[in-house]
Amino acid sequence: MKINQKGLNLIKQCEGLRTKAYKALKSEKYYTIGYGHYGITDPNMTISEAEAEELLMKDLIRFEEIVSTADTKYHYNFNENEFSALVSFAYNIGGIIQLTQNGKRTKAEIADAMLMYNKSGMWVIEGLKKRRKLERELFLTPVEGNDSVVTGGYTESTTIGEIIDDILAGKFGNGDIRKNNIYKTIQNMVNDRVSHK
């Protein structure tokens, strides 16, 4: 599964765009640039917004993998909003092992525990408090009624393999939502064939 647009927008909003390398804290070893990309050694580095977007998309691969691994290992069956909220959380914190307590927490417990990660040292940081609230809201947002996956692109010439690839990529959601989206997709393909006769 990949982060959805809501999760991507959340990260961009919370990280902010910086086109020149900077250090959030003087004690940090490396510089940050773009949408929170850390590890820059050149203090004079500058990038465009498009380059910042490219860096973000590359960085997200690692955090999508972290959440996917936990999802598979602990059988959470995250929907796209839960997954995306956790990718944002991992992008900021570095992972989700403590958040999930190695798979021991339920989804409801994970949502509540998110709010605890709002400090730097002993101090509550308003920016982190706001980010955790936004991530929790996204995590708890249902995906029912999201028909965008079946509104276009599938015709009678679409192969079963293509549909299976999209199902495995998480584009159809999970559980009953996935069943409904698969049904709607097949029905749309039937309607497409009938309309072309």
Side-chain angles (χ1 to χ4, degrees):
M1 192 180 297
K2 297 283 187 187
I3 190 169
N4 65 16
Q5 193 61 48
K6 289 177 185 175
L8 193 59
N9 291 344
L10 193 159
I11 290 174
K12 287 182 174 182
Q13 175 188 341
C14 293
E15 293 289 344
L17 173 61
R18 301 284 288 271
T19 56
K20 186 177 186 321
Y22 69 98
K23 283 189 179 182
L25 299 170
K26 289 182 182 180
S27 59
E28 289 183 345
K29 183 177 180 181
Y30 298 109
Y31 291 83
T32 302
I33 202 165
Y35 295 104
H37 175 79
Y38 181 73
I40 301 300
T41 56
D42 178 5
N44 299 312
M45 182 176 181
T46 60
I47 59 173
S48 67
E49 184 175 350
E51 289 169 326
E53 178 97 15
E54 188 178 333
L55 274 177
L56 175 61
M57 299 314 289
K58 285 179 182 175
D59 287 344
L60 285 174
I61 293 169
R62 178 164 60 102
F63 299 103
E64 289 168 339
E65 182 61 33
I66 286 170
V67 177
S68 291
T69 299
D71 193 16
T72 302
K73 184 175 183 181
Y74 303 121
H75 310 289
Y76 278 117
N77 200 26
F78 292 129
N79 67 39
E80 69 175 72
N81 286 337
E82 291 165 341
F83 180 89
S84 298
L86 290 173
V87 171
S88 173
F89 183 94
Y91 187 80
N92 182 237
I93 298 291
I96 61 169
I97 291 172
Q98 289 181 336
L99 179 64
T100 65
Q101 290 292 297
N102 289 311
K104 292 177 186 159
R105 282 186 172 144
T106 65
K107 287 185 180 182
E109 290 169 334
I110 290 169
D112 290 340
M114 280 181 170
L115 299 177
M116 298 186 305
Y117 293 83
N118 62 1
K119 298 180 179 74
S120 178
M122 295 176 56
W123 309 104
V124 173
I125 306 298
E126 283 304 312
L128 290 178
K129 187 176 176 182
K130 180 181 177 184
R131 183 174 187 151
R132 297 293 94 86
K133 184 180 175 207
L134 291 171
E135 287 167 346
R136 184 176 186 274
E137 286 174 3
L138 178 57
F139 188 88
L140 294 172
T141 301
V143 293
E144 279 103 352
N146 180 7
D147 293 338
S148 61
V149 70
V150 294
T151 56
Y154 297 101
T155 66
E156 65 172 302
S157 63
T158 302
T159 67
I160 294 295
E162 289 171 319
I163 294 173
I164 290 171
D165 287 343
D166 285 348
I167 292 169
L168 293 174
K171 293 182 180 178
F172 281 76
N174 293 305
D176 288 338
I177 294 167
R178 177 168 55 202
K179 288 177 190 172
N180 288 336
N181 281 335
I182 292 171
Y183 169 78
K184 289 175 187 175
T185 298
I186 300 301
Q187 187 59 54
N188 285 349
M189 292 168 72
V190 170
N191 293 345
D192 184 64
R193 174 172 283 190
V194 170
S195 70
H196 286 91
K197 280 190 171 183

